Amino acid sequence: YPEVLRENRKYDDEDEITRLLYRDRQTFAIGHGCAAEWKGERPKSVNSVWTETAPTFETPSTSADLTDENGKSLRVSMRKLAGLDKNDTGEEELHHLISSYQNWIEELKDVDNRKTFEGRFLPISDDLVDTAKLLIQRCENCLERVRNGINYLNSNTQKGKWAREAFKLANHAMLIAQLRSSRDVRNPVWKDGRLQWDKEIKNPNPAVEDADRGFWRPFQIAFLLMTLKGVCDPQDMEREVVDLIWFPTGGGKTEAYLGLTAFTIFYNRLSGKNVTGADVIMRYTLRLLTAQQFQRAGLLFCAMEHIRNKKEYKEKLGDKRFHLGMWVGGEASPNSRSQAKTALKKLEKDSNEVNPFVLLKCPWCNAKFGPRDQKDS
């Protein structure tokens, strides 16, 4: 299919970036009012094309877990960054991540001899070189912002000290939340004449290393490091930048911004900032998604409260509790304490009554909320 002559083309246009990223994909037909299909994902030639009113495509799985050129994992330990490992502060893992990212960027600069994930050499055409240089420059900007974040944490200024402490506490809270996260619900059972639970409360020790949990994926810790300076410094130019995390479902976007949420709230407390409103606002497009993410945020806030109540942090973090709220309208949940009491009494009288409460289990211990029939016990 012939390429369209692109007059007044700009190398930063989305169309040009798409052409560059998918330059290994041939276009054999374009549908108008329908879709065009052919056999094969990356064929060099085809013997037939056809129209399709309901096109389908199987999206390949994508992982956010990365390794360096030697196959070594690039994950970063929350436990070490939280200061819970006496022998390791986690700095080496951060520098390993940065150096690996820099090496990858240097490989990208070889525009005339670049491999795809299939191992094929795909030179970049002359009309796409400027677009390639733009994307490489954006990568270098991200690298520089990550480095600036680390330097800010290591600075001896008062704000730097507050940021360093908030960073440790945020990692500690995220570690606790990740270790306690579970889909298992603890159901109440009536046994031996008293109320009991079918599962014990799990109380994992965050100071003990877990081989599978308690690690940042590369893009998560990079996002936290590249944004924290803008959170702390009102004069920072990057406060004008909106950072967008794009990744398929299950990649860890929520943990990335929850980490920044914990950092922001801890920093405001440590710096003595008198916040009379909200520190962070999270907005979702679907009511079901709002409830799901509220549960996850609830676990993080429980972890933050757990830290705040420790003797060594009481004075630094103050007596004021960390609060979390949700605004979805009166039809979705009670909007006042009196409405909540009325709804609870209805549930106590009739278990078939619609449960208007958002949380269906305790974020901290996973105990079931709401009615449960005795026969199910």
Side-chain angles (χ1 to χ4, degrees), residues 173 176-177 180 295-309 322 324 359 362-365:
I176 293 174
R180 298 188 74 96
Q295 177 82 24
R296 295 183 66 175
L299 175 54
L300 174 62
F301 272 68
C302 286
M304 293 168 63
E305 267 297 287
H306 176 74
I307 294 173
R308 188 189 67 82
N309 282 304
F322 296 120
L324 176 69
L359 294 180
C362 173
W364 185 253
C365 73

Side-chain angles (χ1 to χ4, degrees), residues 105-124:
I105 293 174
E106 292 302 320
E107 291 179 5
L108 290 181
K109 292 181 179 180
D110 188 7
V111 294
D112 294 324
N113 194 24
R114 185 164 318 117
K115 291 183 179 180
T116 67
F117 60 89
E118 290 183 343
R120 296 182 300 167
F121 289 98
L122 282 173
I124 292 178

Side-chain angles (χ1 to χ4, degrees), residues 126-223:
D126 292 341
D127 63 329
L128 286 175
V129 169
D130 286 339
T131 301
K133 290 180 179 179
L134 169 73
L135 296 185
I136 292 173
Q137 182 61 53
R138 289 180 179 178
C139 291
E140 291 180 326
N141 291 343
C142 287
L143 176 62
E144 186 64 23
R145 289 180 64 191
V146 171
R147 283 176 171 158
N148 289 340
I150 293 177
N151 292 336
Y152 192 79
L153 293 176
N154 292 329
S155 64
N156 289 322
T157 63
Q158 185 59 63
K159 288 184 177 180
K161 293 177 181 178
W162 287 330
R164 186 161 56 248
E165 184 72 10
F167 184 71
K168 287 183 178 181
L169 292 175
N171 274 276
H172 195 169
M174 289 297 298
L175 173 60
I176 293 174
Q178 194 170 111
L179 292 175
R180 298 188 74 96
S181 177
S182 175
R183 294 183 179 181
D184 294 333
V185 178
R186 296 173 58 244
N187 291 301
V189 293
W190 191 260
K191 187 176 181 181
D192 299 330
R194 63 191 184 94
L195 184 65
Q196 300 183 39
W197 300 90
D198 62 350
K199 301 179 186 69
E200 294 293 329
I201 299 177
K202 294 181 180 179
N203 291 299
N205 184 357
V208 178
E209 184 177 4
D210 188 303
D212 301 318
R213 293 188 171 192
F215 296 93
W216 292 110
R217 288 170 172 169
F219 84 88
Q220 294 173 330
I221 186 62
F223 171 76

Side-chain angles (χ1 to χ4, degrees), residues 273-286:
K273 184 178 179 181
N274 185 22
V275 180
T276 56
D279 292 274
V280 177
I281 296 177
M282 297 181 287
R283 185 177 183 273
Y284 304 99
T285 54
L286 297 174

Side-chain angles (χ1 to χ4, degrees), residues 226-243:
M226 69 191 289
T227 53
L228 59 84
K229 186 172 181 288
V231 168
C232 303
D233 186 2
Q235 306 303 320
D236 191 79
M237 294 297 294
E238 292 177 1
R239 290 174 74 94
E240 300 298 321
V241 176
V242 176
D243 289 293

